[in-house]
Each structure stands twice: as C-alpha cells, then as structure tokens.
Amino acid sequence: MVTAPQPEKITVEGVEVDTRHWIGGERVTSADGATFTDVSPIDESVIGEISAGAEAEVDAAVAAARKAFPAWAGMPVAERAALLRKVADGVEARVEELAHVETRDNGALLRSHLRGVMPRVAMNFRFFADYLENDLAHPDMTVPGRGHRERITYDPAGVVAIITPWNAPLMLATWRIGPALAAGNTVVVKPPEWAPLTASLLADIMRDAGLPDGVFNVVQGTGVDAGAPLTRHPGINRLCFTGSVPTAGVIAAAAAPNIVPLSFELGGKSPLLVLDDADMDLAVDIAVEQFDNAGQVCLKGARLLVDAKIAEEFTQRVLDKARTLKQGDPRDLTSDVSALITRKHFETVDGFVQRAKADGARVLMGGGPNDELGGLFYSPTILADCPAGSEILTEEVFGPVLTIETFDGDEAGVAMANDTRFGLAATLVTSDPERAESVSAQLRAGTVWVNCFFVRDLGAPFGGSGQSGIGREGGIWSFDFYCDVKNSVFAPSN
C-alpha cells in the first residue's frame, strides 16, 4: 500500500481513467490516502496507483446505496429499463476504449474484447432491461376449489454487494450488475485489485446515462481491506461472488451472521468428453479452444477425456493444431494466447505443472514458461499419463494447461467425467443424437455443451454443481435471486 499523494487520473492506452472510488455519485479518494499498484500482465509495467478502499469507504458506499434504494426501487419499470438501455448505449459507444483498457489491465486478447466481451457487457444491461419490462410480470393465479386470487410480485431486495473476478472483470461484473439494477436494487461493486480499471470507466458510463446518485457504487481495494468489510456488512441484502472455493468459504462465513442470500460462481475442473464417433475436426477445434484467455477461464474443459479407440489420432491432431497457436502481446490482433495475470499466479500455474512432471506426467507440449517471450507468458501445455487422483487432475490450475486421459466405452467416460468435486460445466462431442441425449443426461454439471462450447444465453440458468457454486442466475433465475418474491393472496369478493 502507498499513502503518498497520487494522480487522480491516469491515461491507459490513450484513455483517461479515474483512479478514485465512485460513491454516492462522486469521485472519492480513500480516507487514509492509501493506494495499491496496478500492474499490466503484458510486460509487468506499472499502470498506476489506484485508491485502496477499506471499512470507511465500504460504509460510505453502503450508506449511499441504502439512501438511493427507495427512489430507485419505486421508479416506474419503464423508466428504470430506459436508463439501463442508456447504459447499454454508453457501453456500445465506448467498446474500443473499454477493450483497450481491459486488455492492458488483465492481459486478455484485444480481439476477444472487441468482438465478443464488450458487446456482451452492453447486452448484460439491455437484455435484463427488456426482460424487466416485457417478461417479468407473473399472471395472477387462482387457488383451486376456493376462488382465492394469488398475485406474484418481484420486489426489490435492497443493496446488492458484488465482488468480481479478474479474468473477465467487466463482463462478469455486469452479468450481475445488470439484473440487480433491473430488479430495483442498488449496487456496491468491489472490482478485482488485479484488474480494476474498467469498473471505473463503467461508473463514468452510469453517470453519463443519468443513473441517480448512489444507485451504483465502486469501492476499489484488496479482498482483505475492502472485500472483507463489504461481505460482513449488515447493510447489504444480497451478496454475489465469483472466484475460488476457499475464498467463497471465508465470504460465506462472514455473511452468515446477517443471513444474507448468496450467489457464488466458483471454480471448475470441467471435462471435455470425446466419444468414439465424434466429428474429429470439431473435437480438435473445441479442445484447442480451451487455451482461450491463456486458460484463465472457469468453464474451461481442462480434462480432455477421449475414447481409447480414437485417442491416438485425436491426441496427435490436437497437438498439431495447438502448436499453430501464436502466443504474444494481446494487443496484436493475430495473437491467440496471451500472458498470465500476475507473477504470483504465474508461479502457481508453474508449480502445478512441475509437480505433475515430478509425479510422472508426460509432457506432450509446453511444460513450462515461454522462455522466448519471457515475462508472464506460459507455454500452452498438454500432459498425459497423469497418475489417477493426482493434483493436476483434481485441482483447478487456471492456466494454459490441459491433460489427456483415455477411457473404454461411454459408461467409463461418464464415470471419469463425473469424478470431480466440481461441476461447473462439461462438454460432450458425439455424432449420435441418441448417445448425446443419454450421455449428457448423466453428466453432473451446471452447463453441458453438446458439440459446441461457450454458447451462452442470458435467459438460461447458469451456475455450478458441487463445489462450483451456489444458485443459478440468468433470465427469471436472476430475478428470483435479486428480488424478494412475494405472494399476495386475496379472498374472493362477496
């Protein structure tokens, strides 16, 4: 932490970014003047010093959110939806700026931010604004045999605390901010200290769209100093977190005394299950796609499980295709794989790989840092012959590391796929529609992709099984969480 005076604004990739918190419609420096250093994964250079919040800033943000709540919750639905569409418009107008800043901040590919991630950020607001106005209303029901009328309403819950991850910070934050605001709640966001900048730009967009003061608040800082006081705060009514299982346990314990409903999207060790009748081109393409975002994707199919009958061909073709990936500066639109987020995370990923090698795993590709590029660039790695039950097969590595295992027959493949305490996602490749139906039904995961990958519909439920999370969000499931769903029962009129 730094306490000396720092610039209130910095320029990142030609874009001006405010380094202060956004609380109650104002830019606020930390009461103690503390800042933290934001470092770019691309070259480990310092981007700037960012205001580091603590209990005082959290208290102020929650107070501002609570003050703003009655008016925001009471705003007519059409007006609230219109404001959120203005936010979506503001995001769309600044896609290039947001993409360049986030690429510098978290090291993800610029082309992905431009083509998919930032447009999806706008969609997170527009979809839930439309859902609020057009789809949320529930028809009245009648109690059978008695004639009583039941009215189901979705009442705003209050203040929503959202703690967001660094691997897709703006997209994953707005996936929750959008429905939380649409539902009539006010929001306090704690962005990731490893990639905080686009949350600050979002505050500017919210202001320009005309959101009332206090409806949206941003408190920057570390998990210990800003996240902890937010999770235990008695003034919050919902708590959302995306991150690791151990951190989720700490957060749940902190929130428990206040009986705050939780939505957790946690880690994964997802299988990519390739049956013996799979379209080989498709299976190979999906397998190599798992190196997206340098493997820093919770939904990634890190365990390549392939029927022994086709394993040799599949493995060779995956290696051939993976070796064509270009690793380099994510601002280069031809780069396919970028760097890991921090030096600490780089060492964590390498530790997994080196221990796997010591345990007897065979390196088919990569197996260590990219010495040619240096820095935080880790070579795309594929390992085989990993001992059953070993760490590399059971723990989330969250880097560009895949393992290959073989099985004999669908039953064995399903058993291998389900042999994990996680259950965020699973991917299945088969050319037989009947096998697709049968095998997908047996896979234990919140999302199962069949002959596709990473297809997301904002109206569908999303969440994890097992230790991959608590709850589901998307469409009506989001409003179920962000609202107090009320049933008012009316006696028949005389």
Side-chain angles (χ1 to χ4, degrees), residues 231 245-255:
T231 59
V245 172
T247 302
V250 173
I251 289 173

Side-chain angles (χ1 to χ4, degrees), residues 378-462:
Y378 201 88
S379 297
T381 295
I382 300 177
L383 304 175
D385 301 335
C386 304
S390 61
E391 175 190 62
I392 198 69
L393 297 179
T394 58
E395 299 298 325
E396 184 176 37
V397 177
F398 219 64
V401 180
L402 308 178
T403 59
I404 291 185
E405 301 172 83
T406 63
F407 59 86
D408 292 304
D410 294 2
E411 183 176 349
V414 169
M416 186 176 287
N418 288 339
D419 187 19
T420 174
R421 69 182 188 279
F422 298 108
L424 189 57
T427 303
L428 170 66
V429 187
T430 175
S431 295
D432 185 336
E434 290 187 7
R435 291 175 84 183
E437 293 285 352
S438 173
V439 173
S440 64
Q442 299 174 63
L443 295 173
R444 185 175 63 87
T447 298
V448 178
W449 286 294
V450 181
N451 296 326
C452 59
F453 178 66
F454 219 60
V455 177
R456 287 279 290 111
D457 171 15
L458 290 176
F462 177 79

Side-chain angles (χ1 to χ4, degrees), residues 15 91 99 181 372 376 413:
V15 181
V91 171
L181 292 176
E372 181 179 342
L376 299 180

Side-chain angles (χ1 to χ4, degrees), residues 67-87 129 132-133 136 154-156 181-186 206 209-216:
K67 181 179 178 181
F69 172 69
W72 181 249
M75 181 179 289
V77 163
E79 292 182 25
R80 196 159 69 230
L83 281 173
L84 293 179
R85 292 189 189 101
K86 286 185 179 180
V87 174
L132 167 69
E133 195 165 15
L136 186 60
Y154 290 81
D155 296 347
L181 292 176
N185 303 300
T186 53
M206 295 278 195
L211 255 71
D213 295 347
V215 170
F216 177 73

Side-chain angles (χ1 to χ4, degrees), residues 226-258:
L230 182 58
T231 59
R232 66 173 180 259
H233 203 287
I236 65 173
N237 303 95
R238 295 290 189 275
L239 175 56
C240 306
F241 170 71
T242 302
S244 71
V245 172
T247 302
V250 173
I251 289 173
N258 297 318

Side-chain angles (χ1 to χ4, degrees), residues 93-381:
R94 301 188 67 178
V95 160
E96 289 214 5
E97 292 182 359
L98 292 165
H100 280 86
V101 170
E102 190 150 293
T103 290
R104 182 68 178 169
D105 205 18
N106 85 333
L109 296 179
L110 178 60
R111 75 175 190 220
S112 296
H113 282 146
L114 289 170
R115 298 174 187 174
V117 174
M118 296 310 163
R120 161 68 187 275
V121 170
M123 190 185 303
N124 286 339
F125 290 103
R126 198 175 304 283
F127 174 88
F128 286 105
D130 291 346
Y131 198 100
L132 167 69
E133 195 165 15
N134 302 322
D135 300 307
L136 186 60
H138 195 290
D140 287 357
M141 301 186 300
T142 302
V143 178
R146 302 191 63 176
H148 290 68
R149 178 170 53 88
E150 297 179 292
R151 173 163 296 163
I152 312 302
T153 54
Y154 290 81
D155 296 347
V159 176
V160 178
I162 300 175
I163 300 176
T164 61
W166 48 261
N167 57 325
L170 192 58
M171 183 180 76
L172 294 178
T174 54
W175 150 246
R176 284 170 154 159
I177 295 167
L181 292 176
N185 303 300
T186 53
V187 168
V188 178
V189 172
K190 205 294 282 184
E193 60 266 35
W194 288 353
L197 299 181
T198 47
S200 181
L201 294 178
L202 180 62
D204 294 339
I205 292 170
M206 295 278 195
R207 176 202 62 209
D208 294 344
L211 255 71
D213 295 347
V215 170
F216 177 73
N217 305 272
V218 179
V219 178
Q220 302 159 152
T222 66
V224 171
D225 293 326
L230 182 58
T231 59
R232 66 173 180 259
H233 203 287
I236 65 173
N237 303 95
R238 295 290 189 275
L239 175 56
C240 306
F241 170 71
T242 302
S244 71
V245 172
T247 302
V250 173
I251 289 173
N258 297 318
I259 319 297
V260 177
L262 307 170
S263 178
F264 283 170
E265 194 253 283
L266 308 177
K269 195 68 176 176
S270 301
L272 168 52
L273 189 61
V274 183
L275 304 189
D276 59 6
D277 66 347
D279 178 321
M280 188 64 72
D281 290 338
L282 176 64
V284 169
D285 286 347
I286 293 176
V288 176
E289 190 178 351
Q290 307 311 306
F291 286 118
D292 182 49
N293 204 23
Q296 298 167 124
V297 178
C298 55
L299 294 161
K300 175 185 67 178
R303 295 183 294 139
L304 307 182
L305 312 180
V306 55
D307 192 290
K309 298 184 188 71
I310 60 170
E312 183 176 354
E313 180 187 0
F314 173 78
T315 300
Q316 187 58 55
R317 290 185 58 178
V318 167
L319 290 171
D320 291 344
K321 188 175 182 66
R323 288 175 179 136
T324 69
L325 295 173
K326 177 183 176 182
Q327 188 166 28
D329 190 319
R331 294 168 295 188
D332 180 345
L333 297 181
T334 66
S335 291
D336 300 307
V337 181
S338 183
L340 297 179
I341 184 70
T342 65
R343 176 61 54 181
K344 178 181 178 181
H345 186 61
F346 180 93
E347 292 171 353
T348 297
V349 170
D350 189 49
F352 275 111
V353 173
Q354 300 313 319
R355 290 191 296 274
K357 290 158 66 174
D359 285 344
R362 180 163 54 94
V363 178
L364 302 182
M365 174 180 169
N370 186 323
D371 294 330
E372 181 179 342
L373 293 175
L376 299 180
F377 291 90
Y378 201 88
S379 297
T381 295

